[in-house]
Amino acid sequence: MSRLAGIVAAFVILFGAAHSPAAAQDKTLTVFAAASMKNALDDIDAAYTAKTGVKVTVSYAASSALAKQIEQGAPADVFISADTDWMDYAIGKNNINEPTRVNLLGNSIVLIAPKDSKIDHVDIGQGFDLAKLAGDGKIATGDVKAVPVGKYAKAALEKLDAWQAAEPKFAMAESVRAALTLVARGEAVLGIVYSTDAKVEPGVKIVGTFPADSHPAIIYPVAATTTAKPETSDYLAFLRSTAAKTILEKYGFKFLVSPST
C-alpha cells in the first residue's frame, strides 16, 4: 500500500505543478482581427512578445464573422475591425469596452488581376466598364452584404455606376484574403481587395485604385472587449506606438492617430 500511496503522492505533486502559480503567470492575450491585418499584426505581435513576454494568439477572419463570434461568447481580449460598422455592432451588443476604442488605421481599395494577366492598367472613374473588363470571368471580393471590403467595393461601384452590370460576375468570398487567393490562383480574372493585401501576395498585381471619394472612408477601429484581461491596455498602447506605426506603414496602412513612444 505504501508504494501505491507514493505513486498517488507523486501524481498529486506533478498535477499540482502543472497548475502552480508559476504556470499561471504565462500570460496570453487573444486578439480577433480583420483578415487584412494578418501580415502586419503578426510582425507587431512578435515584437510585443519579445518586449513583454506576453504571448498573443490571433484569430483572423472577416470582421463580420469575428463580431458575431464575440457576441456568441468567444473569448477575446481585443477586436480589430476593418470597418466602423462592425465595431459599432459589437458595442451595441455590449461586447466592447467603448472608452478603449480608437480609430487606428486607414486603407484603400484596389482592383487586382492575376500576375500574368493581360489587363495592365485601368482608369477607375465614373462609368468605367468593370463588367466588360471581366469578360466571361469572375470578379472576387468579400461578401458585399457583410464583409467590409465587399461593402466598400459595392459602395464604390454604385457611386461609379458600374455595379449593376458587374454584379452577376461577382464571386463573393468569406474574407478579403479568400478573395485575394481566388485571384492569385486564376480562379477569378479580377478582384477588389485592400491595397495592403495586394502588396503581400506575389500572385497578383494592382491594375487600378478606387478614388477615395467613391466609398466611405476605410477605417480600422480597435478596442478591448468587456471581458478583456488587465494587460490588454498595455497591448492597445503598443498598437499606438511608434514601433507599431513603423510596421503598419511598411505594409501600406495609414496610421490615423498620433503615435505614443
Side-chain angles (χ1 to χ4, degrees):
M1 284 295 289
S2 61
R3 185 165 177 270
L4 179 61
I7 290 168
V8 170
F11 177 78
V12 168
I13 290 165
L14 284 169
F15 186 79
H19 292 77
S20 68
Q25 284 170 12
D26 289 337
K27 291 180 179 176
T28 61
L29 289 174
T30 302
V31 177
F32 277 24
S36 51
M37 291 290 301
K38 179 169 174 44
N39 301 72
L41 197 61
D42 282 352
D43 284 2
I44 287 170
D45 291 344
Y48 183 72
T49 300
K51 182 178 180 234
T52 64
V54 176
K55 294 172 187 169
V56 185
T57 303
V58 189
S59 287
Y60 294 106
S63 306
S64 47
L66 296 172
K68 293 289 182 74
Q69 288 168 24
I70 292 170
E71 180 186 1
Q72 288 157 15
D77 299 297
V78 175
F79 178 37
I80 307 176
S81 175
D83 73 359
T84 55
D85 289 350
W86 285 109
M87 183 62 78
D88 291 343
Y89 177 91
I91 287 171
K93 298 294 181 180
N94 299 315
N95 298 137
I96 296 297
N97 180 357
E98 192 170 358
T100 67
R101 175 182 176 163
V102 173
N103 288 339
L104 188 69
L105 302 172
N107 210 335
S108 56
I109 52 171
V110 294
L111 187 66
I112 59 168
K115 192 178 179 183
D116 59 359
S117 171
K118 290 176 182 173
I119 300 169
D120 200 33
H121 177 73
V122 180
D123 286 318
I124 298 176
Q126 198 64 36
F128 92 109
D129 199 340
L130 181 60
K132 183 179 178 183
L133 199 64
D136 295 330
K138 289 288 185 186
I139 308 162
T141 195
D143 183 349
V144 299
K145 291 186 176 71
V147 179
V149 75
K151 290 162 64 184
Y152 292 128
K154 183 183 177 186
L157 293 171
E158 284 180 333
K159 182 87 178 279
L160 300 171
D161 296 324
W163 171 250
Q164 195 170 356
E167 182 182 6
K169 298 179 186 291
F170 269 86
M172 307 295 181
E174 64 182 18
S175 73
V176 68
R177 287 298 171 96
L180 185 69
T181 300
L182 287 174
V183 181
R185 288 179 180 167
E187 292 171 33
V189 297
L190 292 166
I192 301 174
V193 300
Y194 300 115
S195 59
T196 51
D197 293 297
K199 286 174 183 173
V200 297
E201 173 50 72
V204 306
K205 60 182 178 179
I206 295 174
V207 297
T209 299
F210 285 84
D213 62 0
S214 67
H215 54 78
I218 298 172
I219 294 171
Y220 287 63
V222 56
T225 64
T226 49
T227 56
K229 298 185 188 82
E231 51 268 31
T232 301
S233 58
D234 184 60
Y235 178 78
L236 291 178
F238 189 75
L239 287 180
R240 297 181 61 168
S241 69
T242 49
K245 179 178 186 280
T246 299
I247 293 168
L248 288 158
E249 289 182 342
K250 180 183 82 172
Y251 281 97
F253 288 97
K254 297 177 188 118
F255 210 66
L256 300 181
V257 297
S258 297
S260 54
T261 50

